Amino acid sequence: MAGVEVSGQGQIVALPFRVEKLSFDAKWTSEQGAQLDLDLTCCIFSADGKLRSFAGPGHSTAEDGGIFHQGTPEGDTVTVYPSKIDPHCEALIFVLSASDSDVSTMNLTTPDSLQFNGYSAELDASLEPMFQCNLQPHLPSAQVPIAPSTADSQSMIICAMHRSTDSWVTTFSLLSQPSHSWGHFVPELRTVLSQLPGFPVQKLAAAQEGVVDKVVLLRRFEDRTAEALSCSGQAVQKVRLDFGWEGALVGEGIEGVEMEWNALCYDITGEQTQAVSSKSKEADGITAVPDPPALEEEEEPAPPEADPEAEEADEPKPEAAAEEKLPAATKNPDDFPQKDGIIIQLSALPSATRSIVITINNFAGEGLGPLTCAHLRLTDVTAADATQHKSMGWFRFPSPVGAHKDRPTVVMAKLYKESTGSAFSQWRAAASNPDLPAFLADVAVVRSALLTISKVQATANQLAKTIADKTEAGEELAEEVKAQERAQWQWRLGCMGRPLPGAALEDSADDLKGIANYEGRFDGTDKRHEQRAKAIYANGDTYFGQYSNDRRQGVGLYLVAKGGGYAGSYAQSKRSGQGVMRMPDGAVYQGDFVGDKFEGQGQYEYVDGSTYVGAWKAGKKHGEGVYWDTKGGCLRGTWENGILKGPGSYDQPSYQFKGNFKANLPEGECSFTICAHRTLGMPARAAAHIMADHGPIIKHKGNYTLPPGVGADPPADGEPPIEDVIPPACPKYEGLAYKSAAQLPDEAEDLQFPPASATRPAVAAPLPAVA
């Protein structure tokens, strides 16, 4: 690739001014297969430092099509058409950002390669390279911190370009920033402008009033706590939601257009509890935004009588040229197209409310076709003093005109609450690695996290039961219980931007119910598709992990509301591959799964401390395996459908049994090899010394007889189904009849214990059952 090689901060590159097209792209790769979610944004400023607009995710065009953004999983491109840019546009700043989430943390150091390139082209000509810049050497690291960059690198201010007489002067800043959104560091962008050679700094310094210092532009699928969005340092208790829209929607009574909004409240089961809309704005905990006071209309003076002579004198002369003026500047990005709004007192909502799904609709016939952009803005209005209100964010859903005529509803966002004792919150705290696949690869950490989560879940379940019992009995809750209940909840916002079909809101009821309990992306066919999804089911179970084609697919963590859970691989929403499963009683299975069942090789640790290691099929022990009991004994044999059959042996440090098994019980001829003087727990080396000095080792034969009615195989079609959440039964040996052989014991060779083929597995301490 030809072109200038950018090597460091402050380097200046002159780009052609009179050219048809300029193209800038950011490209990234990951050899480890990590999912990369990076965004290139072009921020547009006027000469006085005001942010005019931007082109980036959620806002693909700016300057009436003069700047265009396009994104792909492998990179983003911003195309600039200089001849179409408004003369008020003085400078462009390019910012690259990495998203972060609660399930997977990422920054600009995550990719294996990170490149920023510039190209130019004349009309209908191919792109010619202007420069290339490898961004990785300019990211901060523990070894080489690059001042004045910050220690974190969620974003980078790559470069700024501004107009000169014959070129776009481009200065490379290469400054890292800790925020994932450029809207959080607008003042830093303005500082970059002030340092550009030839930029009109006087205008920048003089323009103070009306300059936007923070534009909290929320990304699609962004999911954050209310406190994180507010940045107020205090709990968010009251939120204002403002609704707006743009497009061919101006005026009243336009055929096919009747824009409205809805806020639908759901409980944890996905049932709707209450709703407010454009037509009904009041509900428990929700009030309408007061209308601004109307201005008093002044009586217009009567027009003066017409004077024909004066009119003729005032007519402009043909030779008088009108003064040339620049077109008016475009709208500032902070000029919200306000249409309506509500205020939500979070603590006053019905206690059953878990989520509020917010939609913008047009059921008048044209769907979302006339819409060019739907808007939702959130403000923290907890403080009594209006000057202390904090902007929480602004989410836009851009839509090309006519693109969604068959879809009258767009789900803008979901405001929902999550318990600090929930499975997701506890996993987030327990996981040593915030990346889900890496976390699941560490079995020891997974086991510990499952135990910790189950304990906290048990506490949360007990609190919920206490509240439910007292409510049902009509008893007043103690203040301590009320405080505990309030403290466990945390409100979050998830941005969506998902169009839905349906001639009325009722037609989308199932989709809205699913959205109420799901956080993640959808594919082009409205099916769940996400690498870091989070779902809560009607029974209270929780899943977070990968979704594809509306199925759990890949790796994930599933936790049962009543205790227990699974961490591992999924295929078509079923446990398949390697995984760890904790039972409600505290037992743990670690090994292979097929179709939601134990199948393959696996280790099952019973709550009493016994362990089975071996083959499984369809959720039952099937094939060769070893069972270690609570007495330190080792049972080896072959199982069929969970039943021990055929030849087997049972070893203790002081003796060995060999014989045949039927229905988990010894039957027929057998032998006992007795090793004298051995004691349980004595080291093998010491036991061998005692054996050599004191002997003997004897082997004696005998015969076992099953009790009457025991040992018959159940019919195949009559065997009751056994769910894999129920631990397999431990073998029992009571009720057997034994007859010794009528001969003296024989001498035998020493026995190894544990047997060479049955080394005892390392087992963690028994896990307590969930109350």
Side-chain angles (χ1 to χ4, degrees):
M1 177 186 291
V4 177
E5 185 73 34
V6 177
S7 57
Q9 292 176 331
Q11 186 169 340
I12 298 176
V13 178
L15 307 183
F17 184 73
R18 303 187 184 280
V19 68
E20 179 66 22
K21 178 169 64 175
L22 298 173
S23 180
F24 306 87
D25 66 39
K27 301 292 184 184
W28 47 82
T29 61
S30 173
E31 296 178 0
Q32 304 301 320
Q35 184 190 26
L36 303 178
D37 192 2
L38 277 62
D39 295 313
L40 179 66
T41 303
C42 176
C43 301
I44 304 146
F45 288 86
S46 57
D48 57 3
K50 290 185 178 180
L51 178 64
R52 289 172 50 83
S53 185
F54 72 97
H59 197 262
S60 58
T61 60
E63 297 297 314
D64 293 327
I67 301 177
F68 178 75
H69 170 273
Q70 186 175 17
T72 68
E74 295 78 27
D76 284 14
T77 300
V78 173
T79 304
V80 179
Y81 299 92
S83 61
K84 297 182 179 181
I85 296 180
D86 191 296
H88 290 90
C89 170
E90 186 69 24
L92 310 177
I93 297 182
F94 291 89
V95 179
L96 185 65
S97 301
S99 69
D100 61 351
S101 74
D102 290 323
V103 180
S104 182
T105 300
M106 172 194 313
N107 58 34
L108 295 183
T109 63
T110 304
D112 295 312
S113 66
L114 193 58
Q115 194 82 15
F116 181 70
N117 308 308
Y119 308 86
S120 66
E122 296 296 342
L123 183 64
D124 298 329
S126 59
L127 293 171
E128 297 291 336
M130 298 181 297
F131 64 81
Q132 56 269 355
C133 178
N134 180 9
L135 300 179
Q136 284 189 309
H138 309 289
L139 293 170
S141 66
Q143 293 78 21
V144 189
I146 302 176
S149 299
T150 65
D152 202 355
S153 49
Q154 288 297 132
S155 298
M156 173 182 277
I157 305 173
I158 301 176
C159 65
M161 50 186 286
H162 74 285
R163 299 172 184 263
S164 70
T165 54
D166 57 356
S167 67
W168 286 95
V169 178
T170 304
T171 303
F172 283 82
S173 306
L174 303 175
L175 298 174
S176 294
Q177 298 293 328
S179 175
H180 70 285
S181 172
W182 62 267
H184 293 170
F185 48 87
V186 173
E188 284 78 3
L189 298 180
R190 200 169 290 112
T191 299
V192 168
L193 291 179
S194 68
Q195 297 170 350
L196 296 177
F199 191 84
V201 182
Q202 297 82 0
K203 291 185 178 181
L204 186 64
Q208 297 295 331
E209 185 177 353
V211 173
V212 179
D213 284 330
K214 185 178 180 182
V215 182
V216 188
L217 297 168
L218 302 173
R219 300 153 53 103
R220 193 180 184 199
F221 306 121
E222 187 165 350
D223 190 307
R224 298 190 180 278
T225 66
E227 285 72 23
L229 291 171
S230 174
C231 300
S232 62
Q234 297 180 348
V236 177
Q237 299 175 7
K238 186 187 294 185
V239 177
R240 170 172 171 158
L241 274 62
D242 292 314
F243 309 97
W245 42 81
E246 297 175 290
L249 314 166
V250 181
E252 297 291 336
I254 300 176
E255 185 177 356
V257 177
E258 187 178 340
M259 300 302 298
E260 60 184 46
W261 57 265
N262 288 271
L264 314 171
C265 301
Y266 294 87
D267 63 17
I268 195 168
T269 67
E271 294 301 319
Q272 186 174 319
T273 57
Q274 64 176 13
V276 292
S277 66
S278 306
K279 301 172 182 177
S280 177
K281 304 177 186 179
E282 301 288 334
D284 292 341
I286 304 177
T287 57
V289 170
D291 294 328
L295 298 176
E296 294 183 5
E297 296 184 2
E298 296 182 3
E299 185 178 348
E300 295 184 3
E305 294 184 4
D307 184 348
E309 294 183 3
E311 288 181 2
E312 183 177 351
D314 291 340
E315 290 181 1
K317 305 300 180 186
E319 63 272 12
E323 183 182 354
E324 183 178 356
K325 294 183 179 180
L326 291 175
T330 59
K331 182 172 55 180
N332 188 291
D334 203 41
D335 186 7
F336 187 84
Q338 175 78 27
K339 294 293 188 295
D340 209 345
I342 56 174
I343 294 176
I344 303 176
Q345 181 74 44
L346 299 176
S347 60
L349 291 169
S351 58
T353 303
R354 184 193 171 270
S355 60
I356 305 173
V357 178
I358 302 153
T359 70
I360 289 179
N361 318 82
N362 175 31
F363 294 117
E366 291 296 317
L368 301 177
L371 188 75
T372 58
C373 193
H375 301 261
L376 175 68
R377 183 173 62 185
L378 288 88
T379 307
D380 177 7
V381 294
T382 304
D385 183 356
T387 62
Q388 299 300 312
H389 292 174
K390 301 288 185 180
S391 172
M392 298 173 66
W394 177 357
F395 176 62
R396 306 179 180 204
F397 173 72
S399 176
V401 175
H404 299 294
K405 293 183 67 175
D406 60 337
R407 302 199 169 209
T409 298
V410 56
V411 180
M412 295 295 289
K414 179 175 67 172
L415 189 65
Y416 67 101
K417 66 179 180 180
E418 183 177 75
S419 169
T420 55
S422 70
F424 181 73
S425 298
Q426 290 306 311
W427 168 79
R428 193 165 49 214
S432 57
N433 193 318
D435 182 68
L436 186 59
F439 163 72
L440 295 176
D442 191 335
V443 175
V445 174
V446 169
R447 291 171 57 97
S448 175
L450 286 174
L451 174 59
T452 302
I453 292 168
S454 295
K455 288 180 177 179
V456 176
Q457 278 185 294
T459 303
N461 291 341
Q462 185 59 48
L463 175 62
K465 185 177 184 303
T466 299
I467 294 174
D469 291 345
K470 287 186 176 295
T471 301
E472 185 177 355
E475 299 179 18
E476 180 70 19
L477 292 176
E479 287 301 322
E480 181 181 353
V481 176
K482 289 182 180 180
Q484 190 178 359
E485 199 272 340
R486 286 193 300 269
Q488 74 169 339
W489 293 109
Q490 186 178 59
W491 283 92
R492 303 181 65 89
L493 175 74
C495 300
M496 304 195 70
R498 183 190 175 196
L500 294 179
L505 202 61
E506 293 76 14
D507 298 334
S508 302
D510 289 342
D511 288 323
L512 293 168
K513 183 176 180 178
I515 288 171
N517 284 337
Y518 171 78
E519 285 89 54
R521 293 172 170 84
F522 294 83
D523 62 16
T525 60
D526 289 333
K527 294 181 178 178
R528 288 172 289 188
H529 186 89
E530 173 63 87
Q531 293 293 309
R532 303 183 296 269
K534 179 170 56 173
I536 297 179
Y537 304 101
N539 62 359
D541 292 357
T542 307
Y543 170 81
F544 29 98
Q546 298 174 337
Y547 259 101
S548 180
N549 197 31
D550 221 30
R551 298 286 187 270
R552 295 187 293 273
Q553 185 78 20
V555 295
L557 185 60
Y558 188 105
L559 293 164
V560 181
K562 295 182 179 179
Y566 168 80
S569 298
Y570 278 91
Q572 294 297 310
S573 283
K574 295 183 180 294
R575 297 183 289 274
S576 298
Q578 287 283 317
V580 177
M581 188 170 183
R582 185 182 188 276
M583 308 301 165
D585 69 344
V588 174
Y589 172 85
Q590 177 182 330
D592 299 326
F593 289 81
V594 174
D596 263 349
K597 303 291 185 179
F598 308 150
E599 187 156 331
Q601 293 294 311
Q603 174 177 313
Y604 194 103
E605 301 162 25
Y606 295 88
V607 70
D608 65 0
S610 59
T611 305
Y612 170 81
V613 181
W616 296 80
K617 185 177 181 180
K620 302 174 184 178
K621 297 189 284 290
H622 189 86
E624 294 185 358
V626 180
Y627 174 80
W628 289 86
D629 63 21
T630 56
K631 304 296 185 181
C634 168
L635 176 64
R636 291 173 291 167
T638 302
W639 278 260
E640 290 184 17
N641 294 319
I643 299 173
L644 181 60
K645 293 183 177 181
S649 64
Y650 178 73
D651 287 79
Q652 280 276 4
S654 57
Y655 72 91
Q656 179 191 73
F657 164 85
K658 275 192 175 183
N660 290 291
F661 288 84
K662 185 176 183 180
N664 288 331
L665 300 172
E667 184 205 31
E669 294 185 357
C670 63
S671 66
F672 283 90
T673 302
I674 301 173
C675 305
H677 305 291
R678 288 200 184 178
T679 58
L680 189 65
M682 179 174 288
R685 189 181 300 274
H689 174 72
I690 293 174
M691 287 290 301
D693 289 349
H694 301 284
I697 300 174
I698 58 175
K699 183 176 183 179
H700 189 64
K701 295 182 179 180
N703 189 287
Y704 272 104
T705 304
L706 296 179
V710 175
D713 290 335
D717 58 352
E719 189 171 352
I722 299 177
E723 299 294 337
D724 58 9
V725 295
I726 301 176
C730 306
K732 302 296 182 182
Y733 305 103
E734 292 82 3
L736 295 176
Y738 175 73
K739 184 177 181 180
S740 177
Q743 62 185 59
L744 294 175
D746 298 327
E747 291 188 6
E749 295 182 359
D750 193 10
L751 298 175
Q752 179 181 346
F753 187 86
S757 61
T759 303
R760 180 150 195 166
V763 178
L767 304 179
V770 176

